[in-house]
Amino acid sequence: MPRRRDRKEQMLAAAQYPLDWLEERSGLIGGLRYFLFRKVPGDSGWWHTLGSATLTAFLVQLGTGVILAMYYKPDPKSAYESVQHINNDVTLGWLVRGMHRWGASVFIILIFFHMARVFLFGAYKYPRELNWVVGVLLLPLALLEGFSGYLLPYDQTAYWATVVGININGTGPFIGPFLASFLRSGPEITGDTLSRFYSIHMLLLPGAILGLIGLHLYLVVRLGVSSPPWSPEAAGRERAEPPPVPGSGLVNPAPRGVTKRPD
Amino acid sequence: MASRRVEENRVAFQRYKEDVKRDGKPFYPYAMFHDTVMSLVVVCVIVGLAFVWHYTSLLGPSLAAKADPGTVSFVPRPDWYFYFLFYLLRIFKWPNSVILGTVGIPTILLILALAIPFIDLRRERRLLRRPIAIVAAVLVALSMGVLTYKGATAKEALGAELLADVPNWVKSEQLPPQALPGAKLFATSGCLNCHTYQGVGGSQLGAPNLSAEGSKNKGITFQIAHLKCPSCVNKGSPMPSFAAFGNANLRKLAIFLEASKGPH
Ligand code: HEM
């Protein structure tokens, strides 16, 4: 049945064609293949999922945030009512708002967990110092997201927590008072404050976080995920001190097979 | 000439790359499976919290009353992950060391965090051989946990209960009758959300105890000006303005404050 075979091959080729087309013009398919099929240490496991879990929480914030922005009105006269509207009238609005509200907490908790895992695994050591720095920069940005979003529902808690929060900024040396009056956009909290917080919350900070996450992931892929510190694979440390072999100094790695991963 | 340590680092990393290339597993499907399961758990937890928030009162109300800059009683409470920062303000008391609590400690912590990979240069990663790292991690986790807990459980002052305390104040401070209206206003206006007076009030913010404010004899005029615009009088004060109370009320408060000479 040579004919049927031909047809199958033709179909495969037809399915392959757009991918080849894209690959030839962009290299994106190759990039994706590299990303998916790159090797990670054999004993990397659940501890290594905290970073991508953090990313997931952030993506939930982006998605729910976009939906909330379709109904929210950053104006002191209507902000509170628009949030009530989301809560009470919009289909599943309560769910989207609830996910955004509590997703923020989950995001922050996960950042701390991820940071703790990286610290305890010593994964910030050479050559991943830069990625640690990028991570540390992400932390205050995430906290500021929480701070700037807190005002938006414009209820009593939101309003007064922000008043005090901004005033605390004002106690900072040198730039403190300027920062406070910048955030407030004047000496008092007004409508401009609210739209300023809104812009910071949904454009400035998410943009910065997204950019830094991109850099963070680029470095993760480029350097490879570190193996756990107990790993028999070279976890960036000496193996169980291999017997010195002539000709194997520090520059020439010790010969293979001195230690083996248990199967 | 690269130093010996740099040389060793490079060798070790080279060896890591070779090991992983030979013995590692491809990200897809192995690691990606773990990541996907974990991400699903995260999304489920978030959705679950949204449900709990909507259908029960465990996580608090979904909205407080509408913001009103002119109200007199409010509870300034940040989201829970700022409690540890807010609680620092109780430890570093207003006004002398408050800068330490608000800006100093967070900045120092941030700089320390940034510096970690440049301080800890050893290649050792096994936890049991990094005693300093263990101690540091435990201390940081413990202090953040304790501060968050303390911030979460810090007492919130309620106007109605505080009002019942006013007669005690009159007795122990020997307040004159003309200070009484101010005392009642003071008890119900939210002052005690941040300040303490005769052992009541005071939330997470660590504003000063006002029981003996009058003994400084700053004068009625000063007190009114301060209430109208705290940061104009005390540069950098985080206290909000109470100008919306109106002059008559502010005068009552000022009389009460000046009469508070401390317990007798
Ligand atoms: C928005 C916040 C963040 C996201 C989305 C994120 C995401 C990720 C992901 C997906 C990985 C891959 C390995 C893993 O999952 O453990 C990773 C690795 C890493 N992250 Fe993060 N991260 C964030 C914040 C941080 C913070 C706050 C730090 C530290 C201060 C940090 C330091 C690192 C380091 C050093 C690695 C390399 C670890 C290794 O190779 O074993 N990250 N991050």
Side-chain angles (χ1 to χ4, degrees):
Chain A
M1 313 190 108
R3 275 206 140 169
R4 187 170 273 178
R5 182 104 181 263
D6 280 358
R7 204 169 283 157
K8 198 176 167 195
E9 264 166 24
Q10 267 174 357
M11 293 235 308
L12 274 180
Q16 188 69 34
Y17 179 77
L19 297 182
D20 287 342
W21 189 94
L22 196 60
E23 171 65 10
E24 189 179 345
R25 282 159 186 80
S26 67
L28 282 176
I29 303 295
L32 186 64
R33 287 178 75 95
Y34 175 79
F35 175 78
L36 285 179
F37 298 113
R38 79 202 142 95
K39 291 283 191 65
V40 297
D43 46 9
S44 61
W46 292 105
W47 290 111
H48 288 76
T49 63
L50 288 168
S52 63
T54 313
L55 180 62
T56 301
F58 182 67
L59 293 179
V60 168
Q61 293 308 95
L62 282 189
T64 52
V66 166
I67 298 175
L68 289 176
M70 293 174 181
Y71 298 95
Y72 176 75
K73 299 190 178 59
D75 157 29
K77 286 203 199 66
S78 32
Y80 184 77
E81 283 77 9
S82 72
V83 175
Q84 271 183 328
H85 176 61
I86 293 171
N87 259 358
N88 302 334
D89 311 328
V90 177
T91 312
L92 293 184
W94 61 269
L95 179 62
V96 175
R97 173 159 181 250
M99 285 176 71
H100 198 73
R101 172 59 178 262
W102 293 101
S105 291
V106 171
F107 178 50
I108 301 234
I109 292 181
L110 284 172
I111 291 184
F112 278 115
F113 281 5
H114 170 55
M115 194 172 170
R117 158 352 237 165
V118 168
F119 181 79
L120 295 176
F121 277 36
Y124 54 85
K125 300 189 175 199
Y126 176 91
R128 300 184 179 84
E129 300 97 324
L130 201 56
N131 218 10
W132 172 267
V133 169
V134 174
V136 172
L137 295 180
L138 277 165
L139 180 65
L141 289 181
L143 288 172
L144 286 175
E145 267 296 69
F147 177 69
S148 59
Y150 204 58
L151 175 66
L152 301 182
Y154 218 64
D155 60 3
Q156 285 285 64
T157 340
Y159 182 84
W160 291 105
T162 308
V163 169
V164 176
I166 291 181
N167 290 345
I168 283 173
N169 270 304
T171 63
F174 313 119
I175 60 163
F178 294 102
L179 195 63
S181 75
F182 167 76
L183 284 173
R184 229 185 272 121
S185 66
E188 294 278 334
I189 290 200
T190 61
D192 284 348
T193 319
L194 191 56
S195 47
R196 180 162 299 194
F197 267 56
Y198 188 45
S199 160
I200 292 174
H201 181 74
M202 69 168 224
L203 294 169
L204 186 63
L205 291 172
I209 292 177
L210 220 50
L212 285 177
I213 288 183
L215 185 58
H216 199 64
L217 296 185
Y218 165 76
L219 288 174
V220 167
V221 173
R222 181 186 161 89
L223 300 171
V225 181
S226 65
S227 50
W230 57 81
S231 176
E233 284 171 290
R237 61 174 165 92
E238 253 79 45
R239 298 148 190 246
E241 303 308 328
V245 177
S248 80
L250 282 168
V251 182
N252 302 319
R256 300 280 149 226
V258 176
T259 52
K260 259 206 134 180
R261 196 152 60 83
D263 293 306
Chain B
M1 244 306 272
S3 77
R4 187 188 155 86
R5 196 186 56 236
V6 173
E7 209 55 67
E8 283 175 8
N9 273 339
R10 288 182 183 150
V11 171
F13 185 56
Q14 197 56 39
R15 200 150 71 196
Y16 154 85
K17 283 207 283 199
E18 286 163 12
D19 277 10
V20 169
K21 199 165 188 175
R22 202 186 53 245
D23 299 331
K25 56 191 183 186
F27 176 72
Y28 175 87
Y30 299 101
M32 196 150 156
F33 169 71
H34 286 133
D35 283 341
T36 310
V37 171
M38 191 62 161
S39 291
L40 284 176
V41 171
V42 167
V43 174
C44 288
V45 168
I46 294 175
V47 171
L49 285 168
F51 268 85
V52 173
W53 196 35
H54 187 64
Y55 287 109
T56 76
S57 54
L58 291 176
L59 295 176
S62 65
L63 266 181
K66 186 175 175 172
D68 178 0
T71 44
V72 290
S73 69
F74 63 91
V75 181
R77 230 173 176 5
D79 219 347
W80 66 268
Y81 40 83
F82 288 112
Y83 285 174
F84 75 100
L85 286 179
F86 265 46
Y87 204 78
L88 278 180
L89 297 186
R90 287 200 111 180
I91 298 172
F92 297 95
K93 283 270 165 25
W94 184 262
N96 300 321
S97 60
V98 73
I99 288 187
L100 256 183
T102 55
V103 191
I105 302 238
T107 310
I108 290 170
L109 284 179
L110 209 60
I111 291 175
L112 267 182
L114 284 173
I116 284 175
F118 308 101
I119 298 172
D120 178 10
L121 292 166
R122 292 188 316 150
R123 205 141 36 77
E124 181 59 70
R125 292 178 41 208
R126 282 159 293 186
L127 204 49
L128 289 179
R129 303 193 189 189
R130 295 163 60 213
I132 299 180
I134 297 184
V135 171
V138 169
L139 282 183
V140 168
L142 213 64
S143 48
M144 282 183 48
V146 167
L147 288 176
T148 302
Y149 176 78
K150 291 218 149 207
T153 51
K155 208 167 48 174
E156 274 165 26
L158 289 174
E161 296 167 17
L162 294 169
L163 200 53
D165 248 17
V166 171
N168 300 337
W169 302 351
V170 173
K171 224 180 279 160
S172 67
E173 297 251 354
Q174 296 178 2
L175 294 176
Q178 69 267 28
L180 200 59
K184 287 181 177 159
L185 209 54
F186 182 80
T188 50
S189 301
C191 309
L192 286 164
N193 286 323
C194 300
H195 292 282
T196 45
Y197 189 91
Q198 289 289 331
V200 296
S203 189
Q204 311 86 348
L205 294 168
N209 181 354
L210 296 178
S211 308
E213 173 66 17
S215 61
K216 298 176 196 159
N217 291 318
K218 292 181 183 165
I220 307 277
T221 334
F222 170 91
Q223 294 295 356
I224 293 179
H226 175 258
L227 288 168
K228 275 189 181 159
C229 176
S231 61
C232 307
V233 184
N234 286 339
K235 211 164 165 302
S237 166
M239 176 169 146
S241 158
F242 288 84
F245 279 23
N247 274 327
N249 283 330
L250 293 182
R251 173 162 293 276
K252 289 181 198 160
L253 280 171
I255 292 172
F256 162 71
L257 288 172
E258 283 301 303
S260 301
K261 306 284 186 197
H264 287 269

